[in-house]
Amino acid sequence: MDQVLVQPKSYPTNLLQKDWSKRKLTERCGQAFVDRVHDMEVRDDDVWIVTLPKCGTTWMQELLWLVMNDFDFEAARNEHLEVRTPFLEFDYVINNDLDLALAPVEALKSPRLIKSHMSLPLLPQQLWTKKPKLIYVYRNPKDYIVSQYYHVRSLGFCMNTTLAEFALEFIEEDRAVPSEDFEHVTEFYELRNEPWIYYTSFERMKLNLRQVIEDICKFLNKTISEAQMQQMLLHLSFEQMKKNPKLNHHWEFEQLRAKFKTEYEDNNFVRRGKAGGYKDELSADIIAKLDDMIQRNLDHCDLSLNELLLLDDKAVL
Ligand code: A3P
């Protein structure tokens, strides 16, 4: 499924002042799905996790699910993450049935935890007015581009493309400034101080996971004991998550591989988990080209990458 240009029925004009008519939006699931999502019902006690792909969604999602479910580690170990907390766009990709596309989300008992990669203007209209709790996680683009490469190959795409070629395609696609990815993140960054938004980054989770867990508990009005915190830090560690079959998207991958029926590379979903791992996967030349693309976008929005990642200005990425 390729990305197609879409237009929402309305824009979040009550949240952000910008020229929405210039906002380019694409979505794999197409216009009819976008219209359906625009009109869907949002519950006051929903919790939404919104990210660009490969920014640490799964890590944060498991953290959130546990905080929302009284640190029930046993239940978490017994059911796939994607079943406990559905990915809004997933069912339509698999079944292509508009009537049933939102069924997994609608069937979920409250309070629901819902994952989406859609941009703010493509999320449900009620989300902009009801303002349920929403968590946004960003990551250094150079790392998420590398991570996306291994992810798409796990699904049998880009099998004849090298990582360098994949990164270059990304640069070509993003020649337009602002790119869609930068619009995606800057819209949520602008909302980061709203009481219903918790904005963070993969890099901050790497630096101090305990702090992020404490912040999320406060944000969701939950308490955590020191024993529960210790369990969380262990359960959410890279090593534990890498070997946890319920956190490596086996449930989703099985359905996607059955649908696309192609040869694929069997990469573990929880793969390397590094901040700055791109440095030993991309050449200096490709890194320079990516830096140029990132800088043009940052100049446009008058922000630094460290600001978007909530890191202090001396952090080296
Ligand atoms: P890498 O491919 O760079 O290793 P998402 O869930 O948004 O698709 O993000 C996936 C990325 O998060 C992968 O990055 C994965 O390894 C990383 N990740 C998942 N759990 C992690 C953890 N506990 N610690 C560090 N990184 C983690």
Side-chain angles (χ1 to χ4, degrees):
M1 285 169 99
D2 291 328
Q3 297 281 7
V4 290
L5 270 175
V6 291
Q7 202 175 4
K9 288 189 195 173
S10 67
Y11 291 95
T13 48
N14 65 323
L15 298 179
L16 290 175
Q17 301 302 314
K18 66 190 272 184
D19 186 353
W20 290 106
S21 65
K22 293 211 176 87
R23 175 70 158 97
K24 183 188 165 212
L25 289 156
T26 61
E27 171 54 50
R28 243 179 214 93
C29 295
Q31 187 65 51
F33 179 78
V34 162
D35 291 345
R36 178 59 58 95
V37 170
H38 180 275
D39 295 339
M40 81 176 260
E41 196 207 337
V42 169
R43 301 182 196 158
D44 291 324
D45 59 359
D46 278 348
V47 177
W48 288 69
I49 158 105
V50 182
T51 58
L52 286 163
K54 314 314 289 177
C55 287
T57 328
T58 309
W59 196 9
M60 178 57 92
Q61 213 176 345
E62 180 71 344
L63 186 167
L64 289 166
W65 190 88
L66 285 162
V67 170
M68 290 169 67
N69 288 277
D70 299 324
F71 306 100
D72 191 344
F73 291 94
E74 201 187 326
R77 266 184 223 103
N78 284 332
E79 186 55 279
H80 292 282
L81 178 70
E82 311 92 290
V83 178
R84 288 181 274 131
T85 146
F87 175 18
L88 186 69
E89 296 92 303
F90 183 77
D91 204 86
Y92 189 66
V93 172
I94 296 295
N95 295 316
N96 242 271
D97 183 338
L98 205 52
D99 291 333
L100 293 176
L102 302 178
V105 171
E106 285 164 354
L108 213 62
K109 273 204 318 224
S110 291
R112 307 181 295 185
L113 174 60
I114 303 168
K115 160 188 162 180
S116 177
H117 291 314
M118 291 172 103
S119 295
L120 180 68
L122 297 184
L123 287 167
Q125 182 189 36
Q126 283 189 9
L127 189 138
W128 317 325
T129 51
K130 288 193 175 178
K131 303 182 180 175
K133 295 276 163 72
L134 186 149
I135 294 86
Y136 189 89
V137 186
Y138 187 49
R139 186 182 190 186
N140 184 345
K142 285 173 278 186
D143 279 332
Y144 76 64
I145 289 169
V146 171
S147 186
Q148 278 182 20
Y149 176 70
Y150 293 105
H151 182 86
V152 295
R153 285 169 71 87
S154 299
L155 297 173
F157 298 103
C158 299
M159 297 306 280
N160 299 316
T161 307
T162 63
L163 174 57
E165 287 163 348
F166 182 82
L168 283 173
E169 273 175 32
F170 202 96
I171 294 164
E172 290 299 323
E173 271 173 28
D174 277 343
R175 205 141 297 280
V177 168
S179 77
E180 265 192 281
D181 277 11
F182 275 86
E183 298 253 50
H184 197 292
V185 54
T186 51
E187 281 161 4
F188 284 101
Y189 180 81
E190 275 193 51
L191 295 173
R192 70 195 179 286
N193 295 323
E194 292 287 323
W196 58 289
I197 304 270
Y198 179 78
Y199 177 104
T200 192
S201 67
F202 180 90
E203 288 73 8
R204 279 184 76 92
M205 292 175 75
K206 289 287 291 185
L207 274 175
N208 195 344
L209 187 59
R210 172 188 279 264
Q211 185 63 59
V212 174
I213 297 171
E214 281 172 4
D215 289 352
I216 292 284
C217 288
K218 208 163 148 205
F219 180 63
L220 297 180
N221 302 317
K222 302 280 184 187
T223 52
I224 181 167
S225 69
E226 182 52 31
Q228 286 164 335
M229 176 60 87
Q230 289 304 329
Q231 276 181 294
M232 287 287 276
L233 292 172
L234 181 65
H235 183 89
L236 296 172
S237 69
F238 176 76
E239 295 72 23
Q240 291 290 319
M241 280 192 54
K242 192 170 178 96
K243 63 183 187 203
N244 185 334
K246 299 296 192 272
L247 298 182
N248 278 275
H249 293 249
H250 298 165
W251 183 87
E252 261 176 19
F253 274 37
E254 232 169 71
Q255 295 176 69
L256 289 165
R257 286 168 177 164
K259 181 171 173 84
F260 298 123
K261 292 191 186 68
T262 46
E263 291 292 305
Y264 58 84
E265 197 174 77
D266 208 357
N267 299 312
N268 208 59
F269 186 92
V270 179
R271 188 186 63 94
R272 249 189 113 195
K274 282 190 72 175
Y278 74 88
K279 285 177 199 155
D280 36 64
E281 303 208 47
L282 296 170
S283 69
D285 176 50
I286 301 284
I287 292 174
K289 289 190 166 110
L290 284 174
D291 281 338
D292 175 59
M293 178 272 285
I294 292 167
Q295 195 53 52
R296 279 183 296 116
N297 276 285
L298 291 169
D299 288 347
H300 178 86
C301 57
D302 206 16
L303 286 164
S304 69
L305 192 52
N306 282 351
E307 278 175 297
L308 285 179
L309 294 167
L310 301 188
L311 299 177
D312 78 56
D313 54 7
K314 287 183 206 66
V316 183
L317 297 163

